[in-house]
Amino acid sequence: GTALEIMIGNISSEVDRYTAIKVPTVITRPAKRLDAAAENPHCGITPRSPPHTGPNFPAVRILFRAAAPVLCSSHSINIYVTNNKKLKLILLAGPSSSGKTTTSKKLELFLKGFGLNPIAISIDNYFVDRDKTPRLPDGSYDFESLNSINVELFNKNLKDLLDGKEVTLPVYNFITGKSELSDESIKLGEKEILIVEGLHALNEELTYSIDRKNKYKIYLCPLTVLSLDNHNRIRTTDNRLLRRIVRDNRTRGYSASDTLSTWSKVREGEEKYVFPFQDEADVIFNTSLIYELGVLKTYAEPLLYSVEENDPMYKEAVRLLNLLKNILPISNDYIPVDSIVREFIGGGYFKL
């Protein structure tokens, strides 16, 4: 088939013995999502016809295929951005615990190295007032719905910024549940570029007022490359769940049981608001690291062992513990301060 450029950064590994396809760190614009059979172990859902041009891929236990892989570092994203003068908006999205925050921070540093001045905008500051937030059937607030975002105000601010106007951005007060104006205003110059990271970033409805050619969309997901044997792979969803258990305990004081009990709702949100928009991405960035499960094991195991036998999440905790028995522990002393794993275990360079 036609060559699809594959850019590999710090990881590449055989997906399985049947395909011997390498899992890249960055893949230029995907033509199809992953097949339905592979959804649970990976990050995608049933493929549809691609909205963009590109080669067609068979959905038969194959993640991605390319005729001529090209080895290079992830700074290729930055080269594309700096060479495209019309590009003023970078959008990052991915499922839970895919490393969006660290990736956006590192992207900011890279772009600064290329002479640009990136400005990060948080979608969380565009929540509608609490009394206007849609609710789920059980009466709880549906903060993951696109309708919980003030899309009109978001687009107005983006349009004004791209038109060279000075804009005072909102700040959402999570205590009062009200939107407030910040004390600072921003204005885009020739060197400024906006970075937006959030759940709905790939959804065209979020940025409907901005021309598609002025947007660059990045889909993040840890496409785990390790297998237990020739027939049993380590699911990407388990990789993300372990990341979340460790991070929730460190940053929010949640127990493993707390995180496990809410995981099904998190997954439902991903199915509705993330996976259906993968085809909108210009590139896919693989955030998995070959060593991370060994590092996560040292943090996750004590938390999982604390789940009591009478806890509804006990069976799930045992399942994850049995998975981790196959992994050798790795000390965090060897982990770089700018590693994406630091977003979950702490001690990183970036203030998250």
Side-chain angles (χ1 to χ4, degrees), residues 193-300:
I193 187 168
L194 297 175
I195 297 180
V196 177
E197 173 254 306
L199 184 68
H200 301 282
L202 298 185
N203 188 343
E204 273 294 298
E205 291 184 28
L206 179 69
T207 54
Y208 66 86
S209 65
I210 311 302
D211 196 309
R212 182 63 178 87
K213 68 175 181 289
N214 295 328
K215 295 182 281 193
Y216 190 60
K217 297 183 178 183
I218 304 173
Y219 177 74
L220 307 173
C221 189
L223 299 169
T224 313
V225 298
L226 293 177
S227 299
L228 297 177
D229 52 39
N230 292 337
H231 308 287
N232 297 286
R233 301 192 54 200
I234 296 176
R235 303 191 309 170
T236 285
T237 47
D238 285 342
N239 195 155
R240 293 193 292 112
L241 178 53
L242 290 170
R243 284 180 172 186
R244 189 178 175 103
I245 288 172
V246 173
R247 183 187 60 192
D248 281 358
N249 179 260
R250 180 179 63 84
T251 61
R252 303 177 183 178
Y254 289 0
S255 67
S257 179
D258 292 334
T259 301
L260 290 172
S261 63
T262 60
W263 186 240
S264 60
K265 281 192 174 182
V266 173
R267 296 282 291 120
E268 287 176 11
E270 294 169 352
E271 293 285 353
K272 290 196 300 187
Y273 304 122
V274 179
F275 297 149
F277 302 100
Q278 288 180 91
D279 287 343
E280 289 292 333
D282 294 294
V283 294
I284 292 177
F285 191 84
N286 180 15
T287 64
S288 72
L289 295 169
I290 199 74
Y291 59 78
E292 71 172 281
L293 287 174
V295 180
L296 292 173
K297 171 178 178 156
T298 63
Y299 293 86

Side-chain angles (χ1 to χ4, degrees), residues 125-146:
N125 284 326
Y126 285 87
F127 278 123
V128 297
D129 290 346
R130 192 71 47 80
D131 58 348
K132 298 177 182 176
T133 303
R135 293 179 180 268
L136 294 167
D138 62 3
S140 61
Y141 290 112
D142 186 5
F143 291 111
E144 295 188 337
S145 169
L146 183 63

Side-chain angles (χ1 to χ4, degrees), residues 162-182:
L162 294 178
D163 288 341
K165 299 178 182 178
E166 188 170 324
V167 175
T168 301
L169 301 179
V171 174
Y172 192 78
N173 189 323
F174 285 90
I175 297 176
T176 64
K178 298 286 186 180
S179 178
E180 305 169 355
L181 287 178
S182 64

Side-chain angles (χ1 to χ4, degrees), residues 19 39 53 61 105 160 171 175 188 190 195 251 269 291 310 352:
T19 59
E39 190 280 316
T53 58
R61 282 192 56 79
K105 294 288 186 182
D160 288 345
V171 174
I175 297 176
L188 293 188
E190 184 181 349
I195 297 180
T251 61
Y291 59 78
N310 59 352
L352 306 174

